[in-house]
């Protein structure tokens, strides 16, 4: 039987008053950031892009900002992400993808073989984590999602407890999730970097059009993948304030 007990392994009170706690949930490692307030806080699931760790500096900065704003924020290293083990086939597929992108070769087939399985493995672990987090004192609904687009589409389509979502990029999203995007009806904010070398602009625009949400907003800024302007952090905070508070 799979262990679904959430256990905190460390905690640290940060200088902005946010409490950062590492936890494990069976094989799943995660971090939970919570505000100083004792009142039950809305929850934001904050997912890094495929393969990056939950300790990624940009994710941690976004998490601390959101927690200081009054949210409980959680991130995990789902299967195949961060320091979680990967198979030799997974590593070869990633290497093939990097080589093809650097060479300017078509990558759709390779991309499907890398990201599709990651989403399939990660989504159930995120839902298990959500169950555990909502049972903790100090965390209430509603629930938002922020981050990796492909995973977020799967979760928002399958998980009715998610009531608002913020997605990043969206150029390369597996075919299955592009079809699932039509099922998404929650309020949506999509961030697009106009010159993102790894996410074709038109594909991101097509994805935005495919979403079924009646309230959806697209923010496009000049610059590459990691060049999202700082003010989008504030705009994202206001987006979640409107829908989670």
């Amino acid at each position: 039987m799979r262990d679904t007990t959430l256990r905190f392994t460390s905690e640290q009170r940060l200088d902005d008053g946010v409490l950062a706690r590492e936890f494990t949930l069976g094989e799943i490692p995660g971090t939970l950031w919570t505000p100083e307030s004792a009142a039950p806080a809305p929850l934001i699931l904050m997912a890094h892009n495929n393969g990056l760790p939950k300790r990624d500096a940009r994710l941690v900065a976004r998490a601390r900002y959101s927690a200081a704003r009054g949210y409980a924020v959680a991130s995990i290293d789902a299967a195949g992400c961060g320091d979680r083990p990967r198979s030799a086939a997974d590593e070869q597929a990633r290497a093939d993808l990097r080589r093809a992108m650097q060479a300017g070769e078509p990558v759709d087939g390779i991309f499907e073989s890398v990201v599709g399985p990651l989403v399939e493995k990660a989504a159930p672990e995120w839902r298990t984590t959500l169950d555990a987090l909502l049972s903790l004192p100090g965390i209430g609904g509603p629930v938002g999602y922020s981050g990796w687009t492909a995973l977020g589409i799967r979760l928002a389509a399958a998980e009715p407890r998610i009531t608002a979502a913020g997605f990043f990029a969206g150029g390369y999203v597996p075919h299955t999730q592009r079809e699932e995007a039509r099922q998404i009806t929650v309020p949506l904010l999509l961030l697009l970097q106009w010159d993102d070398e790894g996410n074709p602009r038109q594909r991101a625009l097509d994805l935005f059009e495919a979403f079924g949400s009646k309230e959806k907003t697209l923010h496009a800024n000049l610059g590459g993948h990691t060049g999202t302007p700082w003010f989008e952090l504030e705009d994202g905070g206001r987006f979640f304030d409107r829908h989670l508070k």
Side-chain angles (χ1 to χ4, degrees), residues 2-241:
R2 189 172 184 176
D3 183 5
T4 57
T5 303
L6 190 150
R7 297 180 174 88
F8 289 107
T9 58
S10 69
E11 67 174 61
Q12 181 183 9
R13 180 69 68 179
L14 305 175
D15 54 14
D16 51 9
V18 170
L19 180 63
R21 288 178 284 177
E22 300 293 318
F23 66 84
T24 58
L25 185 61
E27 298 178 351
I28 307 168
T31 308
L32 176 65
W33 296 266
T34 49
E36 286 188 282
S37 172
L43 174 64
I44 297 177
L45 305 178
M46 193 166 285
H48 43 71
N49 285 355
N50 61 89
L52 291 177
K54 61 184 176 58
R55 63 177 180 274
D56 178 74
R58 289 174 297 160
L59 182 145
V60 171
R62 289 178 12 237
R64 290 183 59 173
Y65 175 86
S66 298
R69 200 178 178 104
Y71 294 96
V73 183
S75 184
I76 65 171
D77 279 342
C81 297
D83 296 327
R84 297 280 297 276
R86 302 186 185 110
S87 69
D90 290 340
E91 290 299 296
Q92 184 60 53
R94 288 172 181 272
D96 291 343
L97 178 61
R98 287 192 295 269
R99 179 195 58 76
M101 291 183 72
Q102 290 170 358
E105 298 173 358
V107 298
D108 282 40
I110 305 173
F111 183 84
E112 292 279 345
S113 70
V114 173
V115 179
L118 269 180
V119 172
E120 295 296 332
K121 294 174 184 176
E125 295 196 346
W126 273 98
R127 297 185 75 183
T128 298
T129 303
L130 177 58
D131 291 339
L133 291 170
L134 289 178
S135 71
L136 295 176
I139 298 180
V143 179
Y145 173 90
S146 175
W148 178 18
T149 300
L151 173 64
I153 291 172
R154 167 56 57 85
L155 288 178
E159 182 51 74
R161 290 173 292 185
I162 293 177
T163 59
F167 296 148
F168 297 167
Y172 279 121
V173 170
H175 178 76
T176 298
Q177 277 68 63
R178 299 186 81 85
E179 291 300 315
E180 288 176 335
R182 305 180 193 282
Q183 304 172 29
I184 307 301
T185 58
V186 299
L188 175 68
L189 174 63
L190 177 64
L191 299 185
L192 169 63
Q193 286 300 103
W194 204 246
D195 308 301
D196 190 337
E197 59 283 0
N199 282 277
R201 181 191 310 161
Q202 190 57 54
R203 291 176 62 144
L205 296 173
D206 292 343
L207 179 66
F208 179 75
E209 186 173 7
F211 284 116
S213 303
K214 292 183 178 179
E215 180 180 339
K216 55 183 178 179
T217 301
L218 174 69
H219 286 186
N221 292 284
L222 297 177
H225 185 68
T226 60
T228 305
W230 62 267
F231 56 75
E232 289 293 358
L233 193 60
E234 295 181 347
D235 288 348
R238 286 191 287 268
F239 168 79
F240 284 117
D241 288 349

